Amino acid sequence: MFVLVDGARHDVVRHLLDRGDLPEMSRWVLEPGGMTVGTTVYPSTTGVAYIPFLYGAFPGTAGVPGIRWLDRALVSGGLTAQWRGARSYCGVQAGLINSDLGCGPSIFELVPESYAICTPLTNGLRPGAHLIPGKRALLGALAHYAGTYPALDRAVSEAWLDLAAQDWRFLFVVFPGPDGLAHLYDPWHPKVLESIREIDRALGAFARRASRTGDDPVLIVASDHGASVMRHHEDVALRLEEWGVPTLRHPVHVWRRGARAAVMVSGNAGVQVYFDPRSGRATPLTEGDLPHDLVDRLVALPAVRVAAYRDDTGGVIVRTGEARARLRDDAGLVRYEPLAGDPLGLGGPLLLEDREMLLRSRVTDVPDAPRQLLQLFRTARAGDIALGARLGSDFRGPWEIPEHKAGHGSVIADHAEVPILASVPLPEAPLRTVDLMPSMLELLGVPVPEGTDGVPFSRLAALAPAPA
Ligand SMILES: [Zn+2]
């Protein structure tokens, strides 16, 4: 039983647990299992950050590099193609994420007796196994504009409780409320805290009913990303226009005439920029062909914590202000090679096994950034340059409706770190959200497919150093 508490910060969940405000999670999840702080993917944004839970894959592996991205081939076509090519899963194109996914199979395919409530990712669900899709569409749209997330979460709770006494093997239940309310207020707002308490009550009702008809269900509770308050809105699209660069962007400038750049925002603290979007060029630019003047100006924006782009030899260049470094997958290891300064704060050049690099990066302000920046550029669909915002900043102007006071999307700890709670023992090693899908498959006795980015708990426990 997987419960996705969208956008809940780990310290908010910890705070509520410590106050005794989440008695059901304590009873059904923490007591038999435990809690840890894991890391999500980049960009750390709703929908994209669900891919790990269902596919055990990074967004770059899945070919879905953001909640908005540019299809370079389509966007140079006719008016309809241009609209479709400027992909945005926020709105009427939302369902396209399922056909865009280039990875698989999903856990729904591997466990046919699955049900899901309120998920945008539905590949592999049998007909009728995605519950309340109509309410999700209707109440979801209403909640987005009117802030009525509690009504949406209540509909999820009711459908969830109805399932408790039925035959199921895997359940995927999404509560969008905490994220939606955090965007409108802030991640610590009383309304956000109350929405998490409501989820706790729903979990208790479900677990009691489910345990009456069989064993206690195995429960895993996690969030897809963190969130932070945004005081500084650095609208990259408007900034480019100001610099004389006509810029294709959402929501209404997707047909921008003479566009020399396209700006695709996720979260809103992650943005990817594509240069000369209507050139018909299907391949991304690498360092040597980038417009260096524009790149330098983007990197220098005070809102940027990390800028990254492809180098000419299959690696990724990472920049922060004057600092720059190269990342590379190197014969099964991850290589971090500072060229000037130390943009990821790792202390110097490193050549480490993936999980050791994860552990090392967890103490920096950009946990798991080496792996996350490398995975993003695995897909040619990712932008020519990706910018992750500094704490307190994002990349979309205050014009957005509804006004957003908080957000996520960057590689910074406030966005990357997520709570992971499980009613089974958790390994000592640092976890990624991508590890949960193979771990759930193991619990279900289903073989983990080859090529999964995540590592199951059993293998992580074997990797962890013995306690001293
Ligand atoms: Zn989310």
Side-chain angles (χ1 to χ4, degrees):
M1 167 73 246
F2 185 87
V3 188
L4 208 169
V5 185
D6 199 310
R9 286 179 59 105
H10 66 89
D11 46 7
V12 169
V13 172
R14 187 80 258 173
H15 167 78
L16 291 171
L17 283 167
D18 289 348
R19 285 175 46 123
D21 278 11
L22 306 177
E24 306 290 357
M25 282 188 208
S26 293
R27 150 78 181 82
W28 296 96
V29 189
L30 282 195
E31 258 176 48
M35 173 177 174
T36 187
V37 178
T39 45
T40 186
V41 295
Y42 180 52
S44 50
T45 188
T46 309
V48 177
Y50 288 16
I51 298 169
F53 301 130
L54 295 175
Y55 290 87
F58 294 129
T61 311
V64 174
I67 196 103
R68 299 184 181 87
W69 58 275
L70 192 79
D71 185 324
R72 291 183 176 84
L74 265 187
V75 85
S76 57
L79 291 180
T80 310
Q82 285 180 38
W83 174 77
R84 262 183 83 98
R87 195 75 96 245
S88 169
Y89 303 127
C90 315
V92 290
Q93 295 186 357
L96 292 180
I97 193 169
N98 287 296
S99 46
D100 288 336
L101 281 163
C103 60
S106 73
I107 191 168
F108 298 142
E109 280 169 84
L110 296 166
V111 186
E113 309 87 343
S114 294
Y115 290 90
I117 304 172
C118 211
T119 176
L121 306 184
T122 55
N123 287 344
L125 283 170
R126 293 158 308 153
H130 182 208
L131 304 180
I132 63 163
K135 276 190 189 169
R136 173 176 178 262
L138 204 71
L139 292 174
L142 192 66
H144 181 73
Y145 290 105
T148 52
Y149 286 97
L152 177 59
D153 279 4
R154 248 189 320 274
V156 173
S157 297
E158 284 163 14
W160 189 19
L161 189 58
D162 283 345
L163 268 179
Q166 293 184 33
D167 268 338
W168 53 271
R169 245 181 115 205
F170 175 64
L171 290 190
F172 183 72
V173 176
V174 177
F175 287 93
D179 182 45
L181 293 166
H183 280 289
L184 294 174
Y185 304 100
D186 88 63
W188 286 90
H189 192 276
K191 290 189 185 191
V192 175
L193 305 190
E194 184 51 25
S195 73
I196 300 172
R197 288 188 202 103
E198 278 292 342
I199 295 168
D200 184 69
R201 290 189 268 272
L203 183 143
F206 169 86
R208 264 188 297 280
R209 190 179 285 187
S211 64
R212 239 179 269 147
T213 52
D215 297 334
D216 288 358
V218 173
L219 286 150
I220 295 182
V221 181
S223 170
D224 53 336
H225 51 74
S228 65
V229 170
M230 303 301 182
R231 294 199 172 81
H232 172 218
H233 299 302
E234 175 64 80
D235 196 308
V236 169
L238 298 184
R239 186 66 68 178
L240 283 162
E241 289 277 355
E242 208 179 284
W243 294 339
V245 180
T247 299
L248 186 166
R249 61 192 187 272
H250 292 98
V252 293
H253 294 90
V254 294
W255 296 282
R256 182 78 174 89
R257 277 206 207 144
R260 283 179 48 219
V263 163
M264 300 287 135
V265 184
S266 284
N268 294 324
V271 70
Q272 290 168 51
V273 183
Y274 302 69
F275 297 107
D276 295 319
R278 301 239 172 74
S279 63
R281 169 175 50 78
T283 50
L285 295 179
T286 58
E287 188 172 25
D289 294 319
L290 285 169
H292 297 281
D293 171 53
L294 274 182
V295 166
D296 289 348
R297 289 166 87 168
L298 289 170
V299 173
L301 289 172
V304 173
R305 168 61 187 89
V306 176
Y309 46 80
R310 300 166 184 85
D311 77 358
D312 299 328
T313 61
V316 169
I317 296 290
V318 184
R319 292 177 59 181
T320 299
E322 300 291 306
R324 54 192 285 142
R326 189 191 314 273
L327 285 167
R328 186 190 300 281
D329 275 307
D330 198 336
L333 303 174
V334 182
R335 184 183 291 279
Y336 175 68
E337 182 191 348
L339 305 168
D342 180 12
L344 298 185
L346 288 163
L350 290 173
L351 179 65
L352 293 175
E353 191 274 326
D354 171 69
R355 290 279 157 172
E356 286 177 356
M357 188 64 97
L358 168 62
L359 185 63
R360 181 71 76 97
S361 70
R362 282 298 304 265
V363 296
T364 71
D365 68 317
V366 285
D368 204 27
R371 170 52 66 213
Q372 293 308 318
L373 294 166
L374 283 168
Q375 65 80 11
L376 176 68
F377 290 107
R378 276 181 198 165
T379 173
R381 291 172 173 177
D384 296 321
I385 178 169
L387 310 175
R390 201 172 279 290
L391 183 61
S393 297
D394 71 8
F395 296 124
R396 228 171 182 215
W399 53 265
E400 193 179 47
I401 303 167
E403 189 192 349
H404 52 286
K405 302 217 167 106
H408 45 85
S410 184
V411 280
I412 59 173
D414 284 67
H415 301 174
E417 290 184 339
V418 295
I420 296 175
L421 297 80
S423 65
V424 291
L426 289 162
E428 292 290 316
L431 290 185
R432 294 183 174 123
T433 54
V434 83
D435 301 327
L436 295 178
M437 183 262 200
S439 302
M440 292 190 290
L441 287 178
E442 274 197 335
L443 289 163
L444 289 159
V446 176
V448 178
E450 283 289 312
T452 306
D453 289 322
V455 179
F457 289 172
S458 63
R459 268 176 53 209
L460 288 173
L463 286 175

